[in-house]
CSV table of all heavy atoms in Angstrom, one decimal:
chain,number,residue,atom,x,y,z
A,36,THR,N,17.3,26.5,74.7
A,36,THR,CA,17.2,27.1,76.0
A,36,THR,C,18.6,27.4,76.6
A,36,THR,O,18.7,28.2,77.4
A,36,THR,CB,16.3,26.3,76.9
A,36,THR,OG1,16.9,25.0,77.1
A,36,THR,CG2,14.9,26.2,76.4
A,37,SER,N,19.6,26.6,76.2
A,37,SER,CA,20.9,26.8,76.7
A,37,SER,C,21.5,28.2,76.2
A,37,SER,O,22.2,28.8,76.9
A,37,SER,CB,21.9,25.7,76.3
A,37,SER,OG,22.0,25.6,74.9
A,38,ILE,N,21.1,28.6,75.0
A,38,ILE,CA,21.5,29.9,74.5
A,38,ILE,C,20.9,31.0,75.3
A,38,ILE,O,21.5,31.9,75.7
A,38,ILE,CB,21.1,30.0,73.0
A,38,ILE,CG1,21.9,29.0,72.2
A,38,ILE,CG2,21.4,31.4,72.5
A,38,ILE,CD1,21.5,28.9,70.7
A,39,ALA,N,19.6,30.8,75.6
A,39,ALA,CA,18.9,31.8,76.5
A,39,ALA,C,19.6,31.8,77.9
A,39,ALA,O,19.8,32.9,78.5
A,39,ALA,CB,17.4,31.5,76.6
A,40,GLY,N,20.0,30.7,78.4
A,40,GLY,CA,20.6,30.6,79.7
A,40,GLY,C,22.0,31.3,79.7
A,40,GLY,O,22.3,32.0,80.6
A,41,VAL,N,22.8,31.1,78.7
A,41,VAL,CA,24.1,31.7,78.7
A,41,VAL,C,24.0,33.3,78.5
A,41,VAL,O,24.7,34.0,79.1
A,41,VAL,CB,25.0,31.1,77.6
A,41,VAL,CG1,24.7,31.6,76.2
A,41,VAL,CG2,26.5,31.4,78.0
A,42,ILE,N,22.9,33.7,77.8
A,42,ILE,CA,22.7,35.1,77.6
A,42,ILE,C,22.3,35.7,79.0
A,42,ILE,O,22.8,36.8,79.4
A,42,ILE,CB,21.6,35.4,76.6
A,42,ILE,CG1,22.2,35.1,75.2
A,42,ILE,CG2,21.1,36.9,76.7
A,42,ILE,CD1,21.1,35.1,74.1
A,43,VAL,N,21.4,35.0,79.7
A,43,VAL,CA,21.1,35.5,81.1
A,43,VAL,C,22.3,35.6,82.0
A,43,VAL,O,22.5,36.5,82.7
A,43,VAL,CB,20.0,34.6,81.7
A,43,VAL,CG1,19.7,34.9,83.1
A,43,VAL,CG2,18.7,34.8,80.9
A,44,ALA,N,23.1,34.5,81.9
A,44,ALA,CA,24.3,34.5,82.7
A,44,ALA,C,25.3,35.7,82.4
A,44,ALA,O,25.8,36.3,83.4
A,44,ALA,CB,25.0,33.1,82.6
A,45,TYR,N,25.5,36.0,81.2
A,45,TYR,CA,26.3,37.1,80.8
A,45,TYR,C,25.7,38.4,81.3
A,45,TYR,O,26.4,39.3,81.8
A,45,TYR,CB,26.5,37.2,79.3
A,45,TYR,CG,27.7,36.4,78.8
A,45,TYR,CD1,27.5,35.3,77.9
A,45,TYR,CD2,29.0,36.7,79.1
A,45,TYR,CE1,28.6,34.6,77.4
A,45,TYR,CE2,30.1,36.0,78.7
A,45,TYR,CZ,29.8,34.9,77.8
A,45,TYR,OH,30.9,34.2,77.3
A,46,LEU,N,24.4,38.6,81.2
A,46,LEU,CA,23.8,39.8,81.6
A,46,LEU,C,23.7,40.0,83.1
A,46,LEU,O,23.9,41.1,83.6
A,46,LEU,CB,22.3,39.9,81.0
A,46,LEU,CG,22.2,40.0,79.5
A,46,LEU,CD1,20.7,39.9,79.1
A,46,LEU,CD2,22.8,41.3,79.0
A,47,LYS,N,23.6,39.0,83.8
A,47,LYS,CA,23.4,39.1,85.3
A,47,LYS,C,24.8,39.0,86.0
A,47,LYS,O,24.8,39.4,87.2
A,47,LYS,CB,22.5,37.9,85.8
A,47,LYS,CG,21.1,38.0,85.4
A,47,LYS,CD,20.4,39.0,86.2
A,47,LYS,CE,18.9,38.9,86.0
A,47,LYS,NZ,18.2,39.8,86.9
A,48,ARG,N,25.8,38.5,85.4
A,48,ARG,CA,27.1,38.3,86.1
A,48,ARG,C,27.6,39.6,86.7
A,48,ARG,O,28.2,39.7,87.8
A,48,ARG,CB,28.1,37.7,85.2
A,48,ARG,CG,29.4,37.4,86.0
A,48,ARG,CD,30.4,36.5,85.2
A,48,ARG,NE,30.7,37.1,83.9
A,48,ARG,CZ,31.6,36.6,83.1
A,48,ARG,NH1,32.3,35.6,83.4
A,48,ARG,NH2,31.9,37.2,81.9
A,49,GLY,N,27.5,40.7,86.0
A,49,GLY,CA,28.1,42.0,86.4
A,49,GLY,C,27.4,42.6,87.7
A,49,GLY,O,28.1,43.3,88.5
A,50,GLU,N,26.2,42.3,87.9
A,50,GLU,CA,25.4,42.9,89.0
A,50,GLU,C,25.2,41.9,90.2
A,50,GLU,O,24.6,42.3,91.1
A,50,GLU,CB,24.1,43.4,88.5
A,50,GLU,CG,23.2,42.3,88.0
A,50,GLU,CD,21.9,42.9,87.3
A,50,GLU,OE1,22.1,43.9,86.6
A,50,GLU,OE2,20.9,42.3,87.5
A,51,ALA,N,25.8,40.8,90.0
A,51,ALA,CA,25.6,39.7,91.1
A,51,ALA,C,26.6,39.8,92.2
A,51,ALA,O,27.7,40.4,92.0
A,51,ALA,CB,25.7,38.4,90.4
A,52,GLY,N,26.3,39.3,93.3
A,52,GLY,CA,27.2,39.2,94.5
A,52,GLY,C,28.2,38.1,94.1
A,52,GLY,O,28.2,37.5,93.1
A,53,ALA,N,29.2,38.0,95.1
A,53,ALA,CA,30.3,37.1,94.8
A,53,ALA,C,29.9,35.6,94.6
A,53,ALA,O,30.3,34.9,93.7
A,53,ALA,CB,31.3,37.2,96.0
A,54,ALA,N,28.9,35.1,95.4
A,54,ALA,CA,28.5,33.7,95.3
A,54,ALA,C,27.8,33.5,94.0
A,54,ALA,O,28.1,32.5,93.3
A,54,ALA,CB,27.6,33.4,96.5
A,55,ALA,N,26.9,34.4,93.7
A,55,ALA,CA,26.1,34.2,92.4
A,55,ALA,C,27.0,34.4,91.2
A,55,ALA,O,26.9,33.7,90.2
A,55,ALA,CB,24.9,35.2,92.4
A,56,ALA,N,28.0,35.4,91.3
A,56,ALA,CA,28.9,35.6,90.2
A,56,ALA,C,29.7,34.3,89.9
A,56,ALA,O,30.0,34.0,88.7
A,56,ALA,CB,29.8,36.8,90.5
A,57,SER,N,30.1,33.6,91.0
A,57,SER,CA,30.8,32.3,90.7
A,57,SER,C,30.0,31.3,90.0
A,57,SER,O,30.5,30.6,89.1
A,57,SER,CB,31.3,31.7,92.1
A,57,SER,OG,30.3,31.2,92.8
A,58,HIS,N,28.7,31.3,90.3
A,58,HIS,CA,27.8,30.4,89.5
A,58,HIS,C,27.7,30.9,88.1
A,58,HIS,O,27.7,30.0,87.2
A,58,HIS,CB,26.4,30.4,90.2
A,58,HIS,CG,26.4,29.5,91.4
A,58,HIS,ND1,26.2,28.1,91.3
A,58,HIS,CD2,26.5,29.8,92.7
A,58,HIS,CE1,26.2,27.6,92.5
A,58,HIS,NE2,26.4,28.6,93.4
A,59,TYR,N,27.5,32.2,87.8
A,59,TYR,CA,27.4,32.6,86.5
A,59,TYR,C,28.7,32.3,85.6
A,59,TYR,O,28.6,31.9,84.5
A,59,TYR,CB,27.1,34.1,86.4
A,59,TYR,CG,25.7,34.5,86.9
A,59,TYR,CD1,25.5,35.5,87.9
A,59,TYR,CD2,24.6,33.9,86.3
A,59,TYR,CE1,24.2,35.8,88.3
A,59,TYR,CE2,23.3,34.2,86.7
A,59,TYR,CZ,23.2,35.2,87.7
A,59,TYR,OH,21.9,35.5,88.1
A,60,THR,N,29.8,32.5,86.2
A,60,THR,CA,31.1,32.2,85.6
A,60,THR,C,31.1,30.7,85.2
A,60,THR,O,31.5,30.2,84.1
A,60,THR,CB,32.3,32.5,86.4
A,60,THR,OG1,32.3,34.0,86.6
A,60,THR,CG2,33.6,32.1,85.8
A,61,TYR,N,30.7,29.8,86.2
A,61,TYR,CA,30.7,28.4,86.0
A,61,TYR,C,29.7,28.0,84.9
A,61,TYR,O,30.0,27.2,84.1
A,61,TYR,CB,30.2,27.8,87.4
A,61,TYR,CG,30.2,26.3,87.5
A,61,TYR,CD1,31.4,25.6,87.6
A,61,TYR,CD2,29.0,25.6,87.5
A,61,TYR,CE1,31.4,24.2,87.8
A,61,TYR,CE2,29.0,24.2,87.7
A,61,TYR,CZ,30.2,23.5,87.8
A,61,TYR,OH,30.1,22.2,88.0
A,62,LEU,N,28.6,28.7,84.9
A,62,LEU,CA,27.5,28.4,83.9
A,62,LEU,C,28.0,28.8,82.5
A,62,LEU,O,27.8,28.1,81.5
A,62,LEU,CB,26.2,29.1,84.2
A,62,LEU,CG,25.5,28.5,85.4
A,62,LEU,CD1,24.5,29.5,86.0
A,62,LEU,CD2,24.8,27.2,84.9
A,63,ILE,N,28.6,30.0,82.4
A,63,ILE,CA,29.2,30.4,81.1
A,63,ILE,C,30.2,29.5,80.6
A,63,ILE,O,30.2,29.1,79.4
A,63,ILE,CB,29.7,31.9,81.2
A,63,ILE,CG1,28.5,32.9,81.4
A,63,ILE,CG2,30.5,32.2,80.0
A,63,ILE,CD1,29.0,34.2,81.9
A,64,ARG,N,31.1,29.0,81.4
A,64,ARG,CA,32.1,28.1,81.0
A,64,ARG,C,31.5,26.7,80.7
A,64,ARG,O,32.0,26.1,79.8
A,64,ARG,CB,33.2,27.9,82.1
A,64,ARG,CG,34.1,29.2,82.2
A,64,ARG,CD,35.1,29.1,83.3
A,64,ARG,NE,36.0,27.9,83.1
A,64,ARG,CZ,37.1,27.9,82.2
A,64,ARG,NH1,37.3,29.0,81.5
A,64,ARG,NH2,37.8,26.9,82.1
A,65,THR,N,30.5,26.3,81.4
A,65,THR,CA,29.8,25.1,81.1
A,65,THR,C,29.2,25.1,79.7
A,65,THR,O,29.4,24.2,78.9
A,65,THR,CB,28.6,24.8,82.1
A,65,THR,OG1,29.2,24.7,83.4
A,65,THR,CG2,27.9,23.5,81.7
A,66,PHE,N,28.6,26.2,79.3
A,66,PHE,CA,28.1,26.4,77.9
A,66,PHE,C,29.2,26.3,76.9
A,66,PHE,O,29.1,25.5,75.9
A,66,PHE,CB,27.4,27.7,77.8
A,66,PHE,CG,26.9,28.0,76.4
A,66,PHE,CD1,25.7,27.4,76.0
A,66,PHE,CD2,27.6,28.7,75.5
A,66,PHE,CE1,25.2,27.6,74.7
A,66,PHE,CE2,27.2,28.9,74.2
A,66,PHE,CZ,26.0,28.4,73.8
A,67,TRP,N,30.3,27.1,77.0
A,67,TRP,CA,31.3,27.1,76.0
A,67,TRP,C,32.1,25.8,75.9
A,67,TRP,O,32.4,25.3,74.8
A,67,TRP,CB,32.2,28.3,76.1
A,67,TRP,CG,31.5,29.6,75.8
A,67,TRP,CD1,31.1,30.6,76.7
A,67,TRP,CD2,31.0,30.0,74.5
A,67,TRP,NE1,30.4,31.6,76.0
A,67,TRP,CE2,30.3,31.2,74.7
A,67,TRP,CE3,31.0,29.4,73.3
A,67,TRP,CZ2,29.7,31.9,73.6
A,67,TRP,CZ3,30.4,30.1,72.2
A,67,TRP,CH2,29.8,31.3,72.4
Side-chain angles (χ1 to χ4, degrees):
T36 61
S37 63
I38 296 170
V41 78
I42 290 170
V43 169
Y45 272 117
L46 293 175
K47 294 282 192 174
R48 183 171 57 171
E50 62 191 40
S57 74
H58 282 277
Y59 288 128
T60 300
Y61 185 75
L62 287 160
I63 290 167
R64 290 181 58 81
T65 299
F66 175 83
W67 290 112

